[in-house]
């Protein structure tokens, strides 16, 4: 069967995904797409004037459900359907209702040799409003080049190549055959219009698609998206680089469903009258390295000055800790290291929890480290159970990666539980411990009865996701003084909470650590607000009676965030304690030393 001259453009992709909310945050905040329409269990996304370019439906597959190819008109659609039938492919005519739901005039559906669902359509509906994205400085390259390209998985690459070329009518652009990191790569690139390739055929993959590609009209937009991916905890698969065949300047990263996306600029176009296919022996002209090249091989650069108090949360530094995981952190000052560990509330991050305390600690001569716990802030968000051992182990690896061999640790709430576990397991590493209403000192049933914990869980698990209203309700429980729940606070916490997968909190496991307190070898200074609605004040007695060397301060007119509501008291007492000086008596009840 001879090749045809029909124009094919990638028109639309359908995905079945486990977490529509995570995809929405990823698509809008990292890729720069715009939400088109919402329905129960589904979401459409836009990148230009079309009504929809991506359709997400709730399900368990986490894979592509439709590769939809656009042709010019009804005649071209009819010709494509006839060629499919002549090749023995079963073709189904879409109903008018199905076409309406797809926002197209007419379509036919079939399957390629790998079993992938393929649709051919014409007459895509346009949206009533212009596409707008606050993330882009330019625009996506679509129009006569289509949505972008896909690299599809093929159990029999040659059979799939013949299907797309001899049956549908795609034309050969070129081929790459080489080894990448010791693995053979053989990919055939096909075009159906001016875009260098709309589809590429590779070997079998775990998903139906290896990756999809979006092209932007500005190189700056690629760099900005790369920064957003890093800042959003998206796993980078290949760093910035350029391909030899289509000349695309791009990077690769992982979607919330596990398959990849490519984000690029500067791709070549094809003129069939002059184009000569070529076989290349390399995947990239330069770059496209695996992300572990970011792992530090030398001491960290000089620390930054104390932070400017701006919102939303600024991006700091990243460090690889192994297993493809990266920790985002801020670092300030020079001197003995002080590690700050934040709590588990929605939108928590090291910077958000402790930024107002940093100047006092820097002025006191300390090197301040504010990491985001895995699953929070801009750090990696692996699909695992967030047990205390897993998170504390990541903290150990973070300290090793940043060259810290001895430090003081400051922890509030869940961060306090991590600090306790770190101090008991690595006594040679932790020289002093500051705790603020640490978790893990009661059984789980006690915590779930606390008014603040109930409000937090309700906000975090609400199907509507985190909202400013739900965030406000959480912080009104967290702070004794409601005037401290500012718009600035809500801005920074909500922006970070939108990046958090629900599994971070729903799978979190913190055992009762009360019996471990006696194993803490270093001095302990602990604070507790008497109006705390998250962690019961009985924990203060537990610390005072079970630690070998502890001082516990109960603070009146104070909720769960001691370092915010009693900042001056906390900063002064803590910096004195960390320097080894006697902490002054503060307003409230002093429980004194623990057991000798």
């Amino acid at each position: 069967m001879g090749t045809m001259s029909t124009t094919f453009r990638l028109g639309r992709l359908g995905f079945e995904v486990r977490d529509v909310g995570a995809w929405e945050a990823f698509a809008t905040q990292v890729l720069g797409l715009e939400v088109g329409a919402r329905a129960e269990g589904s979401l459409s996304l836009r990148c230009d004037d079309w009504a929809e370019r991506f359709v997400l439906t709730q399900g368990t597959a986490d894979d592509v459900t439709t590769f939809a190819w656009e042709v010019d008109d009804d005649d071209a659609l009819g010709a494509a359907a006839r060629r499919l039938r002549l090749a023995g492919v079963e073709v189904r005519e879409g109903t008018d209702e199905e076409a309406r739901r797809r926002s197209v005039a007419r379509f036919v559906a079939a399957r390629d040799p790998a079993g992938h669902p393929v649709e051919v359509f014409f007459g895509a509906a346009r949206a009533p409003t212009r596409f707008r994205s606050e993330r882009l400085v330019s625009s996506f390259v679509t129009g006569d080049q289509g949505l972008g390209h896909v690299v599809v998985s093929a159990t029999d690459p040659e059979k799939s190549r013949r299907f797309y070329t001899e049956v549908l009518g795609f034309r050969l652009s070129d081929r790459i055959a080489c080894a990448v990191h010791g693995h053979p790569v053989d990919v055939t690139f096909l075009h159906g219009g001016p875009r260098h390739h709309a589809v590429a055929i590779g070997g079998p993959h775990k998903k139906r698609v290896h990756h999809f590609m979006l092209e932007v009209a500005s190189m700056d937009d690629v760099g900005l998206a790369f920064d957003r991916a890093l800042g959003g905890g998206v796993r980078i698969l290949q760093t910035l680089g350029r391909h030899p065949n289509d000349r695309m300047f791009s990077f690769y990263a992982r979607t919330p469903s596990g398959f990849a996306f490519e984000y690029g600029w500067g791709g070549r176009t094809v003129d069939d009258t002059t184009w000569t296919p070529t076989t290349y022996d390399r995947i990239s002209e330069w770059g496209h390295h695996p992300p572990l090249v970011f792992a530090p091989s030398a001491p960290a650069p000089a620390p930054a000055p104390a932070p400017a108090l701006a919102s939303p949360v600024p991006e700091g530094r990243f460090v690889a800790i192994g297993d493809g995981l990266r920790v985002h952190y801020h670092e300030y000052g020079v001197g003995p290291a002080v590690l700050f560990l934040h709590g588990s509330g929605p939108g928590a991050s090291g910077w958000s929890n402790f930024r107002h305390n940093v100047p006092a600690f820097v002025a006191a001569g300390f090197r301040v480290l504010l990491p985001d716990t895995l699953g929070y802030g801009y750090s990696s968000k692996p699909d695992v159970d967030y047990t205390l051992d897993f998170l504390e182990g990541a903290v150990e690896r973070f300290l090793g990666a940043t060259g810290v061999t001895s430090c003081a640790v400051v922890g509030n709430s869940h961060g306090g539980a991590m600090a306790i576990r770190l101090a008991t397991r690595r006594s040679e590493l932790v020289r002093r411990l500051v705790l603020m209403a640490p978790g893990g000192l009661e059984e789980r049933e006690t915590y779930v009865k606390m008014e603040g914990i109930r409000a937090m869980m309700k906000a975090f698990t609400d199907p509507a996701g985190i909202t400013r209203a739900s965030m406000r309700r959480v912080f009104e429980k967290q702070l004794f003084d409601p005037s401290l729940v500012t718009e600035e606070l809500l801005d920074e916490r909500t922006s970070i909470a939108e990046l958090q997968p629900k599994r971070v909190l729903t799978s979190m496991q913190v055992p009762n650590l009360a019996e471990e307190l006696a194993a803490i070898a270093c001095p302990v200074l602990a604070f507790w607000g008497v109006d705390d609605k998250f962690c019961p004040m009985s924990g203060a007695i537990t610390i005072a009676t079970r630690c070998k060397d502890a001082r516990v301060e109960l603070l009146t007119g104070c909720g769960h965030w001691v370092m915010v509501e009693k900042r001056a008291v906390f900063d002064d007492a803590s910096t004195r304690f960390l320097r080894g000086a006697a902490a002054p008596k503060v307003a409230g009840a002093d429980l004194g030393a623990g057991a000798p």
Side-chain angles (χ1 to χ4, degrees):
M1 187 177 296
T3 58
M4 304 293 110
S5 58
T6 303
T7 297
F8 283 92
R9 296 172 288 269
L10 181 62
R12 186 182 70 256
L13 289 172
F15 299 127
E16 181 180 305
V17 303
R18 291 178 183 270
D19 192 336
V20 174
W23 258 92
E24 179 180 351
F26 157 76
T28 56
Q29 297 173 27
V30 177
L31 299 183
L33 304 179
E34 180 185 22
V35 173
R38 301 177 191 273
E40 184 66 29
S42 69
L43 180 76
S44 68
L45 298 163
R46 298 177 57 200
C47 68
D48 55 12
D49 65 343
W50 280 34
E52 58 183 41
R53 285 290 195 174
F54 295 88
V55 178
L56 312 176
T57 55
Q58 184 78 46
T60 60
D62 266 333
D63 207 345
V64 177
T65 55
T66 308
F67 297 95
W69 299 100
E70 182 196 17
V71 293
D72 289 334
D73 51 35
D74 192 54
D75 289 342
L77 176 60
R82 287 192 295 273
R83 293 197 300 273
L84 286 166
R85 291 189 176 101
L86 284 172
V89 178
E90 183 178 349
V91 178
R92 185 181 67 83
E93 294 275 351
T95 67
D96 290 343
E97 176 58 22
E98 288 175 323
R100 185 193 64 78
R101 290 201 302 268
R102 287 162 169 75
S103 298
V104 300
R106 181 172 164 238
F107 78 98
V108 297
R111 289 189 179 270
D112 74 4
H116 303 331
V118 174
E119 293 182 1
V120 182
F121 71 92
F122 81 95
R126 268 44 179 179
T129 59
R130 292 181 59 188
F131 168 74
R132 295 172 56 187
S133 173
E134 297 179 356
R135 304 294 180 183
L136 297 185
V137 298
S138 62
S139 61
F140 289 103
V141 177
T142 56
D144 65 352
Q145 295 196 50
L147 172 60
H149 74 237
V150 288
V151 176
V152 299
S153 173
T155 53
D156 186 333
E158 178 58 25
K159 186 178 291 186
S160 291
R161 184 193 66 79
R162 291 199 304 269
F163 171 83
Y164 282 96
T165 56
E166 298 176 10
V167 178
L168 285 182
F170 285 77
R171 280 83 72 193
L172 176 64
S173 298
D174 43 48
R175 176 182 170 216
I176 293 180
C178 64
V180 178
H181 307 302
H183 299 285
V185 172
D186 192 340
V187 183
T188 301
F189 300 83
L190 308 174
H191 63 276
R195 185 179 292 281
H196 175 273
H197 60 281
V199 62
I201 313 297
H205 302 288
K206 293 181 180 179
K207 307 282 186 176
R208 287 172 169 164
V209 62
H210 176 271
H211 72 265
F212 66 86
M213 190 279 302
L214 291 174
E215 184 178 2
V216 285
S218 166
M219 183 175 67
D220 286 340
D221 270 324
V222 178
L224 290 168
F226 186 73
D227 282 350
R228 293 195 300 270
L230 289 175
V234 175
R235 183 177 177 184
I236 303 297
L237 300 177
Q238 291 178 281
T239 59
L240 294 165
R242 190 158 218 160
H243 292 302
N245 57 340
D246 68 351
R247 306 298 299 163
M248 191 73 75
F249 168 72
S250 65
F251 71 94
Y252 294 78
R254 181 164 290 175
T255 69
S257 292
F259 51 82
F261 71 91
E262 181 185 8
Y263 207 91
W265 165 80
R268 298 169 80 175
T269 56
V270 172
D271 181 347
D272 281 312
T273 63
T274 59
W275 185 260
T276 301
T278 303
T279 298
Y280 295 86
D281 62 359
R282 60 196 183 282
I283 199 77
S284 298
E285 291 281 7
W286 57 267
H288 289 145
H289 297 298
L292 291 182
V293 297
F294 288 135
S297 57
L309 304 182
S311 179
V313 178
E315 185 178 299
R317 300 172 178 172
F318 292 85
V319 64
I321 64 170
D323 298 327
L325 301 174
R326 301 166 68 250
V327 172
H328 171 262
Y329 69 105
H330 291 271
E331 180 177 343
Y332 308 100
V334 293
V338 181
L339 171 71
F340 285 76
L341 298 176
H342 64 76
S344 63
S349 67
W351 187 86
S352 180
N353 275 36
F354 301 112
R355 65 189 179 105
H356 291 289
N357 309 106
V358 168
F361 283 78
V362 170
F366 294 106
R367 174 192 177 192
V368 174
L369 296 167
L370 307 180
D372 296 342
T373 300
L374 289 182
Y376 286 83
Y378 300 145
S379 289
S380 295
K381 298 169 178 63
D383 186 19
V384 299
D385 287 342
Y386 285 79
T387 65
L388 188 65
D389 285 346
F390 171 72
L391 294 172
E392 183 273 332
V395 171
E396 289 190 44
R397 291 154 69 183
F398 166 75
L399 292 173
T402 50
V404 176
T405 57
S406 176
C407 65
V409 183
V410 179
N412 81 285
S413 196
H414 183 265
M418 284 192 286
I420 291 171
R421 178 56 62 84
L422 181 65
T424 58
R425 293 195 172 179
R426 295 291 304 276
S427 59
E428 81 287 358
L429 182 62
V430 181
R431 65 176 185 271
R432 288 193 173 234
L433 200 57
V434 177
L435 303 172
M436 290 161 285
L441 299 182
E442 306 283 352
E443 296 299 323
R444 182 179 184 277
E445 292 72 21
T446 300
Y447 289 111
V448 297
K449 294 177 182 178
M450 297 295 290
E451 187 178 354
I453 296 291
R454 293 200 304 270
M456 182 177 72
M457 291 300 296
K458 183 178 180 181
F460 206 79
T461 59
D462 192 313
I466 297 290
T467 64
R468 289 178 68 86
S470 64
M471 190 72 77
R472 180 181 292 278
R473 288 192 290 271
V474 171
F475 280 98
E476 286 174 348
K477 305 293 184 187
Q478 185 143 309
L479 294 161
F480 176 79
D481 181 359
S483 69
L484 295 174
V485 186
T486 62
E487 295 304 313
E488 179 186 32
L489 173 64
L490 295 175
D491 284 344
E492 67 187 44
R493 298 285 292 210
T494 304
S495 66
I496 292 297
E498 289 173 347
L499 304 176
Q500 282 181 245
K502 291 183 179 180
R503 186 170 184 178
V504 173
L505 193 58
T506 57
S507 71
M508 189 167 285
Q509 303 169 28
V510 182
N512 192 329
L513 305 173
E515 296 297 329
E516 298 184 24
L517 294 178
I520 297 177
C522 66
V524 177
L525 174 63
F527 300 90
W528 221 290
V530 299
D531 299 289
D532 195 322
K533 297 179 180 178
F534 285 76
C535 292
M537 199 169 54
S538 56
I541 305 296
T542 302
I543 291 174
T545 57
R546 300 199 182 196
C547 289
K548 293 183 177 71
D549 181 3
R551 178 186 180 95
V552 182
E553 302 288 351
L554 300 183
L555 303 175
T556 57
C558 182
H560 191 53
W561 257 12
V562 171
M563 71 286 193
V564 172
E565 294 200 271
K566 299 293 182 181
R567 187 195 314 168
V569 168
F570 169 78
D571 289 348
D572 184 53
S574 297
T575 53
R576 284 174 178 265
F577 170 73
L578 296 183
R579 288 199 305 264
K585 186 174 179 64
V586 299
D590 177 8
L591 300 187

